[in-house]
Amino acid sequence: MEIKYLMQPQQNLGSRLTELFQQSPPAREIRIVSAFMNLTTLLRFKTCLEQLSIQQCDIRITVGIDMGGTSVEVLNELSSWSFVETYIYHNAYPGHTFHPKVILVEYSQQAHLFVGSNNFTEGGFFSNYEASTEIIFDLDHDHENYSQAKAAYRIFFEPTPPLGQRLTQELLRTLSIRNDVLSEVIIRQKRICGTMNNVINLPSSPFGV
């Protein structure tokens, strides 16, 4: 097992992931967990993730919707990706923010686990000051440690109701009606104003607490 430290912007996580996603032979499993996600960064990785899926890579994304960190445009885009399973993780109880950032890239003989502060955004992957740890497992010799790591993060890698729910158009419509997810334009405006509108007569949250 090898441990590396990525201190951004000197070593950005986006470039490191691009390198791993383009490695040959290709990854067989990818798990992406991010509190926030923006459309520009998502589209930046679309082609390589689609190619990996064609090569039989199992790809799953778990994303949060708290604090206006993920827009309706991102979720619309993800819902159109037939090559990725996407889940939303959210606790409807106020003050319980979904905030982890974990990425797993697994090959037949090796696995790379990233845990740090980097959201799946342009800032988080390229320009912000961020810190993350890359743990490299040799699957022949580090099987026990790797199994423990995957088990620890299973709650995010394999989310289940009521807090983790598969992204569907029906779920997205409910979240949009409730203003749980907003457009990127509105999110920017609200951040400038520092306020969030209160809307009455909303449908109940589809998420548990």
Side-chain angles (χ1 to χ4, degrees), residues 78-149:
L78 283 170
S79 69
S80 72
W81 288 14
S82 60
F83 54 92
V84 169
E85 280 189 37
T86 300
Y87 290 82
I88 297 176
Y89 205 102
H90 176 65
N91 188 330
Y93 195 82
H96 290 62
T97 302
F98 181 77
H99 209 243
K101 300 94 176 175
V102 186
I103 297 175
L104 174 68
V105 185
E106 180 184 298
Y107 302 89
S108 60
Q109 300 297 319
Q110 197 175 69
H112 300 252
L113 178 66
F114 297 86
V115 182
S117 64
N118 314 70
N119 276 305
F120 202 107
T121 63
E122 290 298 284
F125 274 13
F126 297 101
S127 59
N128 287 353
Y129 290 87
E130 307 277 2
S132 61
T133 300
E134 178 183 1
I135 306 171
I136 305 172
F137 298 91
D138 181 320
L139 300 189
D140 288 334
H141 300 96
D142 302 323
H143 178 73
E144 184 176 351
N145 286 330
Y146 183 55
S147 296
Q148 290 176 352

Side-chain angles (χ1 to χ4, degrees), residues 4 7 17 55 63 92 100 108-109 112 142 145-146 171 185-187 201 207:
K4 296 182 178 181
M7 300 302 295
L17 290 176
Q55 295 171 302
V63 63
S108 60
Q109 300 297 319
H112 300 252
D142 302 323
N145 286 330
Y146 183 55
L171 176 59
V185 172
I186 293 176
I187 289 171
N201 298 323
F207 291 91

Side-chain angles (χ1 to χ4, degrees), residues 5-194:
Y5 304 100
L6 279 71
M7 300 302 295
Q8 195 173 288
Q10 290 86 350
Q11 300 168 291
N12 66 67
L13 179 59
S15 296
R16 177 60 176 147
L17 290 176
T18 299
E19 176 186 340
L20 291 176
F21 291 167
Q22 294 175 346
Q23 189 168 302
S24 182
R28 65 184 184 185
E29 181 179 313
I30 293 174
R31 299 291 183 260
I32 296 170
V33 180
S34 183
F36 308 149
M37 186 173 287
N38 70 21
L39 187 61
T40 301
T41 314
L42 185 64
L43 294 176
R44 184 194 285 264
F45 286 93
K46 180 177 181 177
T47 299
C48 62
L49 291 176
E50 188 170 17
Q51 285 298 120
L52 283 166
S53 176
I54 292 171
Q55 295 171 302
Q56 306 304 310
C57 181
D58 178 23
I59 306 170
R60 184 175 298 165
I61 293 174
T62 303
V63 63
I65 57 171
D66 297 314
M67 302 173 65
T70 302
S71 68
V72 69
E73 288 91 344
V74 166
L75 298 180
N76 270 320
E77 177 66 26
L78 283 170
S79 69
S80 72
W81 288 14
S82 60
F83 54 92
V84 169
E85 280 189 37
T86 300
Y87 290 82
I88 297 176
Y89 205 102
H90 176 65
N91 188 330
Y93 195 82
H96 290 62
T97 302
F98 181 77
H99 209 243
K101 300 94 176 175
V102 186
I103 297 175
L104 174 68
V105 185
E106 180 184 298
Y107 302 89
S108 60
Q109 300 297 319
Q110 197 175 69
H112 300 252
L113 178 66
F114 297 86
V115 182
S117 64
N118 314 70
N119 276 305
F120 202 107
T121 63
E122 290 298 284
F125 274 13
F126 297 101
S127 59
N128 287 353
Y129 290 87
E130 307 277 2
S132 61
T133 300
E134 178 183 1
I135 306 171
I136 305 172
F137 298 91
D138 181 320
L139 300 189
D140 288 334
H141 300 96
D142 302 323
H143 178 73
E144 184 176 351
N145 286 330
Y146 183 55
S147 296
Q148 290 176 352
K150 289 191 80 173
Y153 291 111
R154 183 170 292 123
I155 188 175
F156 300 144
F157 292 162
E158 302 175 17
T160 57
L163 301 184
Q165 299 195 35
R166 181 78 180 266
L167 175 60
T168 63
Q169 283 298 316
E170 181 180 359
L171 176 59
L172 185 51
R173 279 194 298 271
T174 300
L175 296 175
S176 297
I177 292 171
R178 287 178 42 81
N179 282 342
D180 286 336
V181 290
L182 305 170
S183 72
E184 296 198 350
V185 172
I186 293 176
I187 289 171
R188 285 194 293 269
Q189 291 173 344
K190 289 184 178 295
R191 284 176 179 165
I192 292 172
C193 295

